[in-house]
Amino acid sequence: MLKYICIALAVLVADVVSKAAFPMPRLAQTCTHMVVRRDIVTLSAEEQQRFFRVVREMHRRGWMDGFGSMHDHISHQVHGSDHFFAWHRRFLRHFETLMQEIDPHAILPYWNWGTYWQNPLADPVLSSAFFGGNGRPGDNCVTDGTEALWGRNYPNKSCLTRKYRYGTGTGSFWPMRAVRDVMRTTQTHAQFRSRIENGAHGIVHLGLGGDFETMWAPVDVLFFLHHAMIDKVWAEWQTHDPLRFQNVDGTDASHRPVTADSIMPFYGEDVGSTLVTNGPGYCYTYDDLPAPPSVPRNKPKVMIGMNTLANVTSESFGAEAPAQDDTRGVNEDAEQPAAADPPAADSQLAEGEQPAESFFARGKNSPEFDDDSFANTRSNSQFAEGFYVKGRNPDAKFAKPNHPKHTAKFMDFAAPQPMDHDWLQQSHYDPLEAARMQSLVNNVVAEINAERRQTLN
């Protein structure tokens, strides 16, 4: 029964993404060119502008809607599950491959949110020079940066939104010292995935708010830079033990074991194919990490039933499709993509599930937004303002900004505040693990503050 549900879901998502002329390129079997992913703020002005031009074109073609829809409909299988790291690595490579169809020299950078963790508002990535900041009052539309006044068609026709967690501020993120504390103390893939997903990863989504705190967050290009950073964190943890490039452990959303031979949801490829970033189809490394070791593997497994588009290149979408593949025609010269064929009459949806037509914009390019006609009705949860949490050092506290006890000469850094329980549950996170990670980051920030005081003394 579970097999048929998975196949039905794959067919449904395939039908959804096809309606936006969303290409599904096949991964290469060899690496003819290796690229290095770098922190976006370290790129030259020319490299940054190249990246911005590419993502604006991806938005113009409606591909960002496709990524948002795909992630939203598969989210329950790849969050709170040990497919999290591997599936998102494949998702990022999908995005980067489409970037390279527009510009063969384009490379996906990462956003190191650990640099300005204590004051994300000072991060240039959230400035008008990069991706813009908070949404405007009223409708929360992003109005500056490379995504200024971007429209989106998924999950409805609206603007791209952000709504900072505290109104005008995001709150603190995780310092890299806390992330590396998790790396140092965690031995298994399942533990590491749970701790990062429910800690450093989730706080960024919640802090930016708006579309970024939803499961259609990939409509925002910044999602991919955030997850490139999460991917880099996983890659760094892997370097601590060579066996981590060969094996994974844990369970999936149905509590079945996850191993290197497990098949990833939607893509239909085995988890093991993702474990080495410089391996076939991935072909990248990170700027400050050693290249992963060469790990011989058998030919990657592909289950067509899990993703009927897995073996179709984007170039072949307008051509005659192989009989076993559910492909959709795309007329590249037309103003909008060719209409997709309706699902076969015997394609059954899960009980209570709506047909794709009711929740996906049909292949129109995302419009630019310049009015107030689409107000964002999704509101962030309200959070308590308690900023004082004791860590291992009893003298260290987390100070609220402008607290009278702190002079202009010295003010303690504030730890990120606990993530809202309801948001954690609806986003497939683990509230208990999030609470454990909250305790860890509290202690690390307490130590940072104590050391800063000692230095000043």
Side-chain angles (χ1 to χ4, degrees):
M1 181 63 181
L2 182 60
K3 172 184 176 183
Y4 295 110
I5 292 174
C6 289
I7 293 174
L9 179 62
V11 171
L12 172 63
V13 177
D15 184 63
V16 166
V17 297
S18 69
K19 286 180 168 61
F22 184 55
M24 299 292 297
R26 178 176 56 221
L27 291 181
Q29 295 301 303
T30 60
C31 289
T32 58
H33 178 60
M34 196 69 62
V35 302
V36 179
R37 291 183 182 173
R38 295 158 54 199
D39 185 336
I40 189 169
V41 300
T42 70
L43 302 182
S44 68
E46 180 182 354
E47 289 169 328
Q48 289 171 1
Q49 290 306 311
R50 178 193 295 273
F51 177 72
F52 294 149
R53 284 195 300 270
V54 168
V55 296
R56 284 194 292 265
E57 176 61 17
M58 293 176 76
H59 172 260
R60 188 193 69 80
R61 296 185 185 188
W63 291 354
M64 302 310 299
D65 288 332
F67 280 114
S69 171
M70 179 180 172
H71 186 270
D72 190 25
H73 287 92
I74 211 76
S75 63
H76 63 287
Q77 295 191 54
V78 297
H79 289 269
S81 153
D82 290 299
H83 281 296
F84 175 79
F85 280 134
W87 191 90
H88 281 88
R89 180 170 284 177
R90 178 64 177 91
F91 193 54
L92 294 179
R93 187 62 187 125
H94 185 173
F95 182 85
E96 189 172 50
T97 302
L98 294 195
M99 286 177 53
Q100 292 163 352
E101 290 195 359
I102 297 171
D103 182 342
H105 301 288
I107 301 171
L108 175 65
Y110 61 88
W111 170 29
N112 187 352
W113 29 254
T115 304
Y116 292 88
W117 68 270
Q118 78 282 12
N119 184 19
L121 297 186
D123 195 326
V125 173
L126 297 179
S127 74
S128 58
F130 286 82
F131 291 95
N134 203 8
R136 66 189 175 192
D139 58 10
N140 303 312
C141 294
V142 175
T143 60
D144 63 336
T146 198
E147 298 178 298
L149 297 173
W150 271 21
R152 59 161 171 75
N153 287 318
Y154 186 86
N156 50 28
K157 189 174 183 181
S158 181
C159 57
L160 179 68
T161 67
R162 294 195 195 119
K163 186 178 181 182
Y164 285 175
R165 184 179 182 185
Y166 297 106
T168 58
T170 62
S172 301
F173 296 154
W174 270 48
M176 282 306 297
R177 177 165 165 175
V179 174
R180 292 199 168 100
D181 203 16
V182 173
M183 290 184 191
R184 179 179 55 82
T185 59
T186 308
Q187 300 304 313
T188 71
H189 172 270
Q191 287 179 329
F192 188 67
R193 185 279 307 168
S194 181
R195 292 171 180 179
I196 293 300
E197 183 181 10
N198 290 284
H201 160 260
I203 200 68
V204 176
H205 280 287
L206 187 60
L208 296 189
D211 287 330
F212 217 81
E213 68 169 352
T214 71
M215 285 301 173
W216 59 84
V219 298
D220 189 334
V221 174
L222 193 52
F223 169 96
F224 293 92
L225 280 76
H226 169 42
H227 270 270
M229 180 63 180
I230 296 298
D231 184 68
K232 180 176 179 290
V233 166
W234 180 32
E236 182 173 340
W237 179 79
Q238 288 181 288
T239 65
H240 295 184
D241 183 346
L243 291 178
R244 295 172 184 171
F245 294 104
Q246 303 177 44
N247 301 304
V248 297
D249 64 279
T251 57
D252 64 14
S254 300
H255 307 291
R256 295 170 300 187
V258 171
T259 69
D261 291 327
S262 298
I263 300 300
M264 290 185 289
F266 187 75
Y267 286 111
E269 300 158 6
D270 63 274
V271 168
S273 65
T274 73
L275 297 183
V276 180
T277 64
N278 58 354
Y282 290 84
C283 312
Y284 69 90
T285 59
Y286 284 104
D287 51 359
D288 60 356
L289 296 180
S294 176
V295 179
R297 283 185 51 79
N298 296 326
K299 185 177 179 180
K301 298 177 183 178
V302 177
M303 287 184 61
I304 302 301
M306 294 296 290
N307 172 14
T308 54
L309 298 177
N311 286 336
V312 183
T313 63
S314 55
E315 291 86 351
S316 71
F317 261 56
E320 185 69 20
Q324 72 271 26
D325 288 331
D326 180 15
T327 57
R328 310 292 177 180
V330 174
N331 181 353
E332 292 288 350
D333 296 325
E335 185 173 349
Q336 69 179 56
D341 295 329
D346 59 352
S347 295
Q348 298 297 314
L349 301 177
E351 184 178 354
E353 197 164 15
Q354 293 179 312
E357 286 84 341
S358 65
F359 55 68
F360 195 74
R362 291 177 174 274
K364 296 181 180 178
N365 292 338
S366 298
E368 298 301 314
F369 251 72
D370 57 4
D371 58 49
D372 298 325
S373 57
F374 293 94
N376 178 16
T377 58
R378 178 181 174 84
S379 61
N380 290 343
S381 301
Q382 299 300 310
F383 300 92
E385 282 203 345
F387 275 70
Y388 298 96
V389 184
K390 289 188 177 180
R392 286 192 292 251
N393 186 325
D395 295 326
K397 295 181 180 179
F398 307 112
K400 184 181 285 189
N402 301 320
H403 192 276
K405 290 185 178 180
H406 295 269
T407 66
K409 184 178 179 181
F410 180 85
M411 185 173 70
D412 280 353
F413 292 148
Q417 290 298 288
M419 292 183 280
D420 178 68
H421 186 274
D422 290 341
W423 179 81
L424 288 167
Q425 287 194 317
Q426 72 184 23
S427 301
H428 315 295
Y429 291 87
D430 180 350
L432 291 178
E433 186 74 272
R436 288 190 287 268
M437 291 302 95
Q438 183 66 46
S439 177
L440 182 147
V441 74
N442 285 348
N443 287 330
V444 170
V445 175
E447 291 171 351
I448 292 172
N449 284 329
E451 291 167 6
R452 292 174 67 234
R453 284 204 208 91
Q454 187 175 11
T455 300
L456 289 174
N457 293 336

